[in-house]
Amino acid sequence: TTYAMKPIDLYQLVGSIIKAMEPIILKKKLMELNLSLESKIEQEINKIKSILDAQDNIIIVTNKEEITNVNKKFLDFFGIDDFNKFIKSKKDIFNFFKEEFGFISKEQISKQESWIKYIKDLHEIDRIVKIKGASLEEKIFAINVDYYENKDDYYVLEYPNWVNAVA
């Protein structure tokens, strides 16, 4: 609330109006900046998503605890329509690994303190998994693990399609 003394001093009145309007103007500018920032973040997320989707291999981004992102090849292979529903279902990617001699299995990984380290420490020829997709076709993949240091640690697991297996 602003009071003006009589007789009204025009300069004082204008100063009081400006003072009263300043928080409203600043709030409006802040809202515009937030909208602009949200738009830029969304553009960057879409850019990263399109880069992931352009890959020929199945790509999984994880922070060791959970899957944070996947590409279209992953969704298509596993017949997943909605990534968020998949994450909420708490399905373990290792459940899709076939238990078969010569391939990395869920049982092997579950015994490890750090499954990422376990896979990274394996020789390239031993980083092989057999996975059954939504079409029930079994495929053999070699796992590549790349590490990206950021505020949080992120790992990118790449599953290049190695060879088709007999279903």
Side-chain angles (χ1 to χ4, degrees), residues 4 26 35 43-44 54 82 113 128 133 159 162:
L26 289 174
L35 287 173
Q43 285 174 2
E44 289 303 311
D82 186 337
E113 190 175 316
I128 309 299
Y159 292 74
W162 204 31

Side-chain angles (χ1 to χ4, degrees), residues 28-157:
K28 185 178 176 187
K29 282 184 180 178
L30 183 61
M31 286 173 64
E32 288 170 0
L33 282 171
N34 279 340
L35 287 173
S36 173
L37 185 59
E38 284 174 13
S39 174
K40 286 179 183 173
I41 289 170
E42 192 173 323
Q43 285 174 2
E44 289 303 311
I45 288 170
N46 287 337
K47 194 185 299 180
I48 291 168
K49 189 77 178 138
S50 67
I51 290 169
L52 286 176
D53 287 345
Q55 304 304 308
D56 285 333
N57 302 323
I58 291 174
I59 306 285
I60 298 170
V61 181
T62 179
N63 59 9
K64 288 203 280 190
E65 303 300 320
E66 60 188 4
I67 296 173
T68 58
N69 213 331
V70 297
N71 67 344
K72 186 168 177 4
K73 291 280 184 195
F74 175 96
L75 299 175
D76 291 346
F77 182 77
F78 290 109
I80 299 166
D81 295 325
D82 186 337
F83 175 66
N84 291 324
K85 282 183 185 172
F86 174 77
I87 292 301
K88 286 177 184 169
S89 73
K90 297 286 186 193
K91 286 187 179 171
D92 188 343
I93 186 69
F94 305 127
N95 287 337
F96 295 102
F97 290 10
K98 298 290 292 172
E99 300 283 332
E100 200 170 305
F101 180 77
F103 298 102
I104 298 172
S105 67
K106 180 180 180 175
E107 184 183 343
Q108 286 173 299
I109 285 176
S110 62
K111 293 177 184 176
Q112 307 305 317
E113 190 175 316
S114 167
W115 62 270
I116 290 277
K117 184 179 182 323
Y118 171 72
I119 291 173
K120 279 188 72 108
D121 288 348
L122 287 173
H123 190 277
E124 205 171 300
I125 197 71
D126 295 323
R127 293 184 198 160
I128 309 299
V129 292
K130 186 186 275 190
I131 303 174
K132 187 183 284 189
S135 67
L136 302 181
E137 180 184 15
E138 292 179 351
K139 290 197 174 190
I140 297 172
F141 298 91
I143 303 176
N144 296 328
V145 180
D146 293 312
Y147 169 69
Y148 294 92
E149 189 174 347
N150 201 319
K151 181 180 168 216
D152 300 308
D153 291 342
Y154 283 93
Y155 295 85
V156 174
L157 279 67

